[in-house]
Amino acid sequence: VQLQASGGGLVQAGGSLRPACSASGRIFSSHVMGWFRQAPGKEREFVSAIRWGSGMTYYSDAVKGRFTISRDRAENTLYLQMNSLKPEDTAVYSCAMSNSYDQNPNTYRNWGQGTQVTVSS
């Protein structure tokens, strides 16, 4: 499965973006799809994840209440609705796949090319 993130951009603080992650192959119900971000000079950070089959969602404390993860199973696409954006949300956002839920990026694979999100103050 190849993953490709898109839909980032430049937005003012308080604004919204909705990046998407499209998959070229099949995503199984047992898979967990995650969004991660990496700011310059910082380690990759867990943002959110969703169980592909059940739709159960998980969020980091930093984005809980502002971001919403969702998926379109028919289109094999993962989304991240980002509201009330803050300058500290600025990073490259990437999607990846795992066989189980974890916030450790090392448990994920099939990393796609990320999309840049820049939030100006």
Side-chain angles (χ1 to χ4, degrees), residues 2-121:
Q2 289 187 323
L3 304 175
Q4 177 68 51
S6 62
L10 172 63
V11 65
Q12 288 188 330
S16 298
L17 285 172
R18 193 192 188 208
C21 172
S22 59
S24 63
R26 183 178 176 183
I27 304 174
F28 291 93
S29 295
S30 58
H31 286 139
V32 174
M33 300 298 294
W35 282 102
F36 291 79
R37 66 187 182 186
Q38 188 167 20
K42 295 188 176 181
E43 293 189 352
R44 185 172 279 167
E45 173 190 22
F46 171 80
V47 175
S48 182
I50 187 168
R51 293 188 183 273
W52 200 252
S54 68
M56 183 175 292
T57 59
Y58 308 88
Y59 299 94
S60 69
D61 289 341
V63 307
K64 195 174 297 182
R66 300 189 296 122
F67 292 9
T68 302
I69 191 172
S70 62
R71 87 275 196 234
D72 184 329
R73 298 181 67 181
E75 295 294 327
N76 251 15
T77 303
L78 179 72
Y79 299 99
L80 186 67
Q81 179 66 47
M82 307 163 67
N83 298 331
S84 302
L85 282 162
K86 305 174 182 180
E88 51 264 45
D89 293 319
T90 295
V92 174
Y93 284 72
S94 302
C95 54
M97 171 188 291
S98 178
N99 291 332
S100 61
Y101 168 63
D102 199 304
Q103 295 193 7
N104 185 340
N106 293 327
T107 65
Y108 289 76
R109 63 185 188 280
N110 300 78
W111 290 91
Q113 186 173 351
T115 186
Q116 176 70 47
V117 171
T118 302
V119 184
S120 62
S121 57

